[in-house]
Amino acid sequence: MSQWAHLPKELLDMISKCLDSRVDLVFFRAVCTSWRYSASSPSFDQEIPRLILKLPSPIHADAILMQTAICRMELISKYPNSSSSFSKSWLVKVGESKYGKLQLLNPLTNYKIKYSPISVNFLDFKFVQLNKAFLLQQSRRFLVFGIIKVVPFPISANCSNMDGFGILAIYHEGILGYWKYGDKEWTLLDHKNFQYDDIIVYREQFYVIDRRGTVYWIDSSLKVIQYSPPLYGCGGQKNLVESRGDLYVVDRYLDGERRTWKVYENVMDYSDNRFRVRKLRKQSRPRAVDLRVYKLDEELATWVDVKSLDDQIFVLGADCSFSISRTEFNGGKGNCIYFVDGDDHAGRGLSASSIHVFQLEDRSIGKLDVMPEFSDIFWPPNMFDSSIQNNPGLDL
């Protein structure tokens, strides 16, 4: 660490100027004292100009591509009267407000965490980025209707350089499409299959999975190439997860049929050249009654039924699915899957019954708000934990 702390100021200045976001810049300045003083603190007084993506039909939206960081938030401190140190860590998502100020978000639902039992100072915390997540957002924080999953394409694409910038998306309940900045229409990548469920960046490449459980690789020319045999799992919704370098599928068995895009088409309104969605008739989304996990054996080109995740935890978020190790976090239990279910996450945060936990050991599903032994990995921490108590507030 001392070697990194003594890098030439000129080199640190060059590195800081290559950072894409204020989130990365704040993380850079939090490494150590020398790095902190090598880069000026970002200003939060003026609103950041956002690049508006004018998405054409059939999405019809002026949107902003928002990037957030999935992080392990570590508190490292000293006991007041002891030389021994303690370390605590929690799972959190970090994003930016329109003024560039950092915000702590729920890693599954994306809701802003409005209360913290301690004041968050980046000199006292270390943020280790575990993954990135992307979503398309309209004004007033509304998500773009009809988009299931979105990632920038290619991987190096970012909104600061629009030369070759594009997005890969699953929309309208299963259509796989690509849109390049400035295009007047979307490019449909598969004219036969309209049942795609998820996108993942795995080994610096793009992969998608359809409802049959077939994984496809998307090459640099946007060609969709079959990568795995069909899973033929009977579940109704599939998520891709990378864990310890391997590719997994979580197959959700639902208690009913998923909505098709025709259900939404019946309530769409394009009057006055504006896209609206009239109130859906009372029909809740189906809920998960069981989950199955499969690992792709790439050498044998087959799926392996997984009975245990050991100390691993799968997190199926609204915009990103990923895995973590229980041993790297404060409390919690391994061999489980966190996910949002049905319409539970609408209008609710972490403290409500929006997040569910599936335990592979006994194949049970429970709500996180009544399972405190599973909630310890999330920020904010237990308000009664005396070892981390300080003044309430969120100072980023």
Side-chain angles (χ1 to χ4, degrees):
M1 185 62 202
S2 61
Q3 294 178 348
W4 287 106
H6 291 90
L7 288 177
K9 187 178 185 303
E10 296 77 12
L11 180 58
L12 293 174
D13 184 60
M14 291 174 59
I15 295 173
S16 66
K17 291 179 179 178
C18 293
L19 301 177
D20 294 331
S21 68
R22 296 190 179 195
V23 174
D24 292 336
L25 180 58
V26 173
F27 289 176
F28 174 89
R29 298 183 75 246
V31 170
C32 62
T33 302
S34 62
W35 286 39
R36 184 177 184 85
Y37 288 105
S38 68
S40 59
S41 176
S43 171
F44 302 116
D45 296 329
Q46 296 181 345
E47 184 173 344
I48 302 173
R50 302 288 193 182
L51 179 67
I52 304 298
L53 306 178
K54 295 187 175 295
L55 303 177
S57 174
I59 301 301
H60 293 291
D62 292 346
I64 300 167
L65 182 67
M66 303 295 294
Q67 174 182 323
T68 54
I70 309 295
C71 296
R72 185 173 69 248
M73 180 178 175
E74 300 178 356
L75 171 65
I76 301 175
S77 184
K78 298 282 187 180
Y79 287 112
N81 300 316
S82 173
S83 60
S84 62
S85 63
F86 67 91
S87 177
K88 290 181 177 290
S89 57
W90 301 270
L91 184 65
V92 72
K93 180 179 285 188
V94 182
E96 290 184 37
S97 71
K98 65 180 181 179
Y99 292 98
K101 193 167 185 178
L102 299 193
Q103 297 177 330
L104 298 185
L105 309 171
N106 182 292
L108 281 93
T109 66
N110 284 324
Y111 278 86
K112 181 180 176 181
I113 297 173
K114 297 182 179 180
Y115 170 79
S116 174
I118 69 173
S119 180
V120 181
N121 187 319
F122 274 86
L123 291 178
D124 300 325
F125 286 86
K126 177 183 178 182
F127 285 77
V128 180
Q129 182 170 301
L130 306 176
N131 214 322
K132 292 181 180 180
F134 300 90
L135 55 84
L136 286 169
Q137 181 177 292
Q138 293 179 285
S139 60
R140 299 182 181 179
R141 294 189 171 276
F142 291 111
L143 299 182
V144 174
F145 183 77
I147 298 289
I148 297 176
K149 189 66 71 72
V150 62
V151 291
F153 187 95
I155 295 175
S156 58
N158 63 77
C159 291
S160 62
N161 180 13
M162 301 312 298
D163 185 22
F165 173 81
I167 55 176
L168 188 67
I170 296 175
Y171 58 90
H172 289 188
E173 297 298 317
I175 297 175
L176 179 63
Y178 168 78
W179 177 78
K180 184 178 179 180
Y181 182 75
D183 283 358
K184 300 301 181 182
E185 60 184 15
W186 287 78
T187 299
L188 192 63
L189 299 189
D190 191 335
H191 294 268
K192 297 180 180 179
N193 189 349
F194 303 107
Q195 291 189 328
Y196 286 97
D197 265 350
D198 200 9
I199 305 174
I200 192 174
V201 178
Y202 172 62
R203 296 177 181 171
E204 300 298 313
Q205 300 289 330
F206 294 89
Y207 295 86
V208 294
I209 189 170
D210 66 11
R211 222 157 286 178
R212 294 189 309 157
T214 304
V215 177
Y216 298 86
W217 167 50
I218 302 176
D219 69 8
S220 58
S221 64
L222 295 172
K223 186 177 181 180
V224 181
I225 303 168
Q226 184 171 341
Y227 186 74
S228 81
L231 177 62
Y232 291 119
C234 297
Q237 182 178 348
K238 294 172 175 63
N239 289 98
L240 291 168
V241 182
E242 178 181 0
S243 180
R244 292 175 171 172
D246 293 312
L247 189 61
Y248 290 77
V249 169
V250 178
D251 196 9
R252 301 193 208 190
Y253 287 71
L254 308 175
D255 63 0
E257 293 293 326
R258 292 172 59 179
R259 289 173 180 168
T260 64
W261 188 247
K262 290 183 179 179
V263 173
Y264 296 99
E265 286 180 328
N266 293 332
V267 293
M268 289 181 186
D269 183 4
Y270 291 95
S271 60
D272 301 326
N273 294 321
R274 294 182 180 181
F275 174 71
R276 301 187 182 92
V277 180
R278 299 192 300 271
K279 187 175 181 179
L280 283 168
R281 60 179 180 271
K282 194 171 183 180
Q283 177 186 352
S284 60
R285 294 177 182 269
R287 299 177 182 273
V289 294
D290 191 19
L291 280 76
R292 302 279 177 174
V293 181
Y294 302 90
K295 175 183 174 182
L296 179 61
D297 186 324
E298 298 183 65
E299 291 186 1
L300 300 178
T302 187
W303 291 103
V304 179
D305 190 7
V306 177
K307 300 300 183 183
S308 174
L309 298 178
D310 298 323
D311 70 336
Q312 292 294 291
I313 299 171
F314 285 6
V315 181
L316 310 182
D319 52 12
C320 179
S321 298
F322 56 94
S323 69
I324 57 176
S325 173
R326 185 207 63 80
T327 59
E328 296 178 342
F329 288 87
N330 184 56
K333 291 186 177 182
N335 196 30
C336 66
I337 301 173
Y338 294 85
F339 65 99
V340 290
D341 196 26
D343 293 317
D344 274 348
H345 65 283
R348 300 178 181 176
L350 178 61
S351 60
S353 57
S354 57
I355 298 174
H356 295 249
V357 181
F358 174 77
Q359 300 182 67
L360 275 76
E361 183 177 5
D362 59 7
R363 312 203 64 78
S364 65
I365 296 177
K367 294 184 177 182
L368 183 65
D369 63 337
V370 294
M371 305 171 70
E373 68 274 22
F374 287 90
S375 63
D376 290 340
I377 68 169
F378 293 101
W379 183 272
N382 189 332
M383 64 181 295
F384 299 108
D385 188 342
S386 60
S387 66
I388 59 170
Q389 282 184 355
N390 201 332
N391 295 322
L394 215 58
D395 181 16
L396 299 186

